[in-house]
Amino acid sequence: MKILVPVKRVIDFNVKVRVKADGTGVDLANVKMSMNPFDEIAVEAAVRLKEAGTATEVVAVSCGPAQAQETIRTALAMGADRGLHVPVEGELQPLAVAKLLKAIVAEENPALVIMGKQAIDDDCNQTGQMLAALLGWPQGTFASKLAVESDAILVTREVDGGLETVKLRLPAVVTTDLRLNEPRYASLPNIMKAKKKPIDSRTPEALGVDVTPRLETIKVAEPPKRQGGVKVGSVAELVDKLKNEARVI
């Protein structure tokens, strides 16, 4: 069974995000970048399935600038077998990524796509669901546990009411949640081996996909600073402030 794992290059989760002074976007100059944490969990899940003998090959794919190949190398160092890069400069929105992944799935013919439930830069939580819809495949989102059974996969999902287990017939799309596993650290020998693993390239034009953004970002701004709390002397004063100042009732 071949597993496809999309990975995204994002600002490292330890870095404080800065908004550009003109409000046109986020400042990426001299900022540490890394693999999206949810995608690290997806890579770890795929590698574990390979180590268990369930999967035969793990392919990591990333769409974005040339530096995205560094993210693919990280996945290769974690245990993926080969990489695939789709070079795209500029903004890349979830629907465009889903269309690119659909074209790659048609070429690679994987039995399973495992990906992070969302990216920590835009928090859209859309690409996995869009890909499943475009492919017409069953989907298991927010996975906290996976178990493969011949031609099906059991996905335990984290939902508002607790845990829900769904059985999906392969091929399928699975998006990972935080509690699925703890991603491994790539060892130095594996990092060196990753440099020799192949990374192929496919342009959007070769895949027949138009990646022109469908949405326009008008302005990016930091959230307002929290105001200090105040004590009220009575319930009537509290209701008055909630009604006339906070306007929540």
Side-chain angles (χ1 to χ4, degrees):
M1 178 175 71
K2 181 189 294 187
I3 301 178
L4 188 72
V5 186
V7 295
K8 186 177 184 181
R9 179 176 181 265
V10 299
I11 296 177
D12 189 89
F13 69 93
N14 287 312
V15 175
K16 178 176 173 55
V17 177
R18 301 189 306 271
V19 175
K20 293 180 180 178
D22 59 2
T24 57
V26 173
D27 187 4
L28 300 179
N30 301 317
V31 174
K32 181 183 178 183
M33 309 292 284
S34 62
M35 185 190 299
N36 178 46
F38 290 103
D39 295 341
E40 287 185 335
I41 294 170
V43 173
E44 177 67 23
V47 171
R48 289 188 185 186
L49 288 174
K50 181 188 173 186
E51 291 173 344
T54 303
T56 56
E57 185 181 26
V58 177
V59 181
V61 56
S62 186
C63 308
Q67 296 90 331
Q69 292 198 18
E70 300 172 6
T71 306
I72 297 175
R73 292 290 179 196
T74 301
L76 296 176
M78 291 176 66
D81 297 291
R82 59 187 176 90
L84 181 58
H85 178 225
V86 181
V88 178
E89 296 295 336
E91 184 181 7
L92 196 56
Q93 295 178 351
L95 180 58
V97 176
K99 290 180 177 179
L100 290 171
L101 293 176
K102 178 190 176 185
I104 291 170
V105 166
E107 288 189 358
E108 295 289 337
N109 194 31
L112 183 62
V113 177
I114 304 180
M115 59 197 304
K117 70 172 185 177
Q118 65 193 71
I120 63 172
D121 53 359
D122 55 23
D123 274 336
C124 282
N125 183 19
Q126 296 175 348
T127 307
Q129 293 89 327
M130 288 179 171
L131 176 61
L134 291 172
L135 292 171
W137 288 7
Q139 60 177 308
T141 57
F142 316 134
S144 62
K145 185 178 179 181
L146 299 176
V148 177
E149 294 183 352
S150 62
D151 62 342
I153 184 169
L154 294 176
V155 180
T156 301
R157 306 178 59 240
E158 295 192 351
V159 296
D160 292 339
L163 298 177
E164 174 189 60
T165 300
V166 294
K167 186 174 183 179
L168 311 176
R169 186 174 298 277
L170 297 176
V173 176
V174 174
T175 69
T176 59
D177 212 335
L178 284 174
R179 280 155 288 279
L180 178 59
N181 58 51
E182 182 72 27
R184 69 191 68 189
Y185 287 100
S187 64
L188 182 59
N190 287 338
I191 292 174
M192 301 304 293
K193 291 178 183 177
K195 294 181 179 180
K196 298 181 180 180
K197 292 183 179 180
I199 296 181
D200 297 327
S201 181
R202 300 281 194 283
T203 64
E205 293 76 18
L207 294 171
V209 177
D210 179 13
V211 296
T212 303
R214 304 296 181 90
L215 304 175
E216 180 185 357
T217 301
I218 304 299
K219 184 180 180 182
V220 178
E222 293 189 11
K225 293 183 179 179
R226 295 187 62 179
Q227 301 292 326
V230 296
K231 291 184 178 180
V232 294
S234 66
V235 173
E237 186 181 354
L238 172 61
V239 172
D240 179 69
K241 286 184 176 295
L242 291 175
K243 184 176 182 180
N244 299 315
E245 293 185 15
R247 299 183 183 278
V248 295
I249 60 174

